[in-house]
Amino acid sequence: MAWRAAKTAGGRFLVRLEDLDRSRVRPAYEAAIAEDLAWLGLDWDGPMLRQSDRGDAYAAALAQLAAKGLTYRCTCTRRDIADAISAPQEGAMAATGPDGPVYPGTCRGRNRAADEPFAIRLNMAAALERLSAATLSFHELSATASGMPEDVALDLDQVVGGTGDVVLARRDGAVAYHLAVVIDDAFQGVTHVTRGQDLFGATPIHRVLQALLDLPAPTYRHHKLVRDEDGKRLAKRDDSRAIASYRKAGLSPADVIALAEAGAG
């Protein structure tokens, strides 16, 4: 469960609650997020967008991709994927992408029974072939003094071999982050996306989906990660310090913002 803020071209400040993983959603967590934002002096226009309310939009996007023949059902478990990657004939494909080990394509081209639990994957090679006439790139705001965006061209071989057929909808029916964020950025009119360098590898996936779905492409800036005194990046899954802990320690909102700017400049 996470929140994302966005400022649109019209100057509106919007907030999105990423609550697709229902197992991690708790009212107390949401209340803590709202409290942290208020303490930092952040407010937003209109209601908070909840991804859990956006099922129809995601389903429509999945149907659009399926109609183009760009998705397929995958019944593989994580163990199945690990076993396939470890097989001698798959050794050359044991790359690691934004979502972990690159899927070896076991279910691609196979018919799966409707009663089997399945995820929906994007056939990346087919998607890129469909987009072959287009120049796939994205604008990246550099950290240089000029601050001018740079045009980053996608390495198509890397997208296929180093990213693979990413999951668009999980076996439990929940849509995956890659599809949801692309649909919601377009819906909210997001023009600039600022996020950590750990998500740089996901941006080519998003750019491909934007092109396939005829959605506008925001300008991106991938900042350095905020790290602790030992150089380890701060992450809530590692029980890193939350904003509330800094508040209890006596820091001001300006202090916290300065710490973030110093670590991710």
Side-chain angles (χ1 to χ4, degrees):
M1 183 176 180
W3 66 275
R4 299 192 187 275
K7 191 172 183 179
T8 68
R12 300 183 70 217
F13 187 68
L14 306 176
V15 169
R16 180 163 72 228
L17 188 66
E18 298 186 342
D19 59 347
L20 292 174
D21 188 347
R22 303 305 296 172
S23 66
R24 299 184 180 182
V25 174
R26 302 287 188 278
Y29 298 165
E30 183 176 337
I33 289 172
E35 185 178 350
D36 287 342
L37 292 176
W39 181 73
L40 289 170
L42 299 176
D43 196 3
W44 55 90
D45 300 300
M48 180 182 293
L49 183 74
R50 297 172 181 273
Q51 288 189 326
S52 56
D53 294 334
R54 300 274 293 149
D56 289 346
Y58 305 145
L62 286 170
Q64 186 176 343
L65 294 172
K68 296 177 179 180
L70 300 178
T71 62
Y72 62 90
R73 294 179 177 184
C74 175
T75 60
C76 294
T77 64
R78 291 185 180 181
R79 178 60 183 270
D80 293 334
I81 295 171
D83 289 345
I85 289 174
S86 65
Q89 65 270 22
E90 301 291 353
M93 299 187 66
T96 299
D99 295 339
V102 173
Y103 180 65
T106 307
C107 289
R108 190 189 312 122
R110 293 184 178 180
N111 292 322
R112 294 304 189 186
D115 59 347
E116 290 184 272
F118 61 87
I120 297 176
R121 291 185 179 272
L122 176 68
N123 187 329
M124 187 64 75
L128 292 177
E129 183 177 355
R130 187 180 185 91
L131 298 172
S132 60
T135 300
L136 285 177
S137 62
F138 61 91
H139 287 138
E140 172 75 12
L141 280 173
S142 67
T144 62
S146 67
M148 296 299 292
E150 300 174 351
D151 194 52
V152 179
L154 269 61
D155 183 333
L156 302 189
D157 290 336
Q158 173 62 26
V159 175
V160 174
T163 300
D165 295 350
V166 294
V167 170
L168 300 181
R170 303 197 307 257
R171 290 162 61 92
D172 61 5
V175 71
Y177 163 78
H178 298 304
L179 183 64
V181 72
V182 163
I183 298 300
D184 292 337
D185 281 349
F187 177 75
Q188 291 189 294
V190 173
T191 58
H192 290 72
V193 173
T194 300
R195 58 193 185 193
Q197 289 177 342
D198 56 326
L199 284 173
F200 189 89
T203 302
I205 302 171
H206 301 170
R207 186 66 194 95
V208 169
L209 288 171
Q210 289 156 358
L212 291 172
L213 296 169
D214 297 319
L215 300 176
T219 295
Y220 293 88
R221 180 175 185 268
H222 296 87
H223 60 72
K224 292 186 296 185
L225 300 179
V226 181
R227 300 182 182 275
D228 62 19
E229 58 275 10
D230 297 322
K232 184 178 180 181
R233 78 179 181 96
L234 301 185
K236 54 184 181 295
R237 67 170 170 268
D238 296 324
D239 200 26
S240 298
R241 298 187 71 184
I243 291 176
S245 67
Y246 288 105
R247 184 167 72 246
K248 292 177 182 177
L251 275 69
S252 69
D255 293 331
V256 173
I257 292 172
L259 284 172
E261 290 176 342

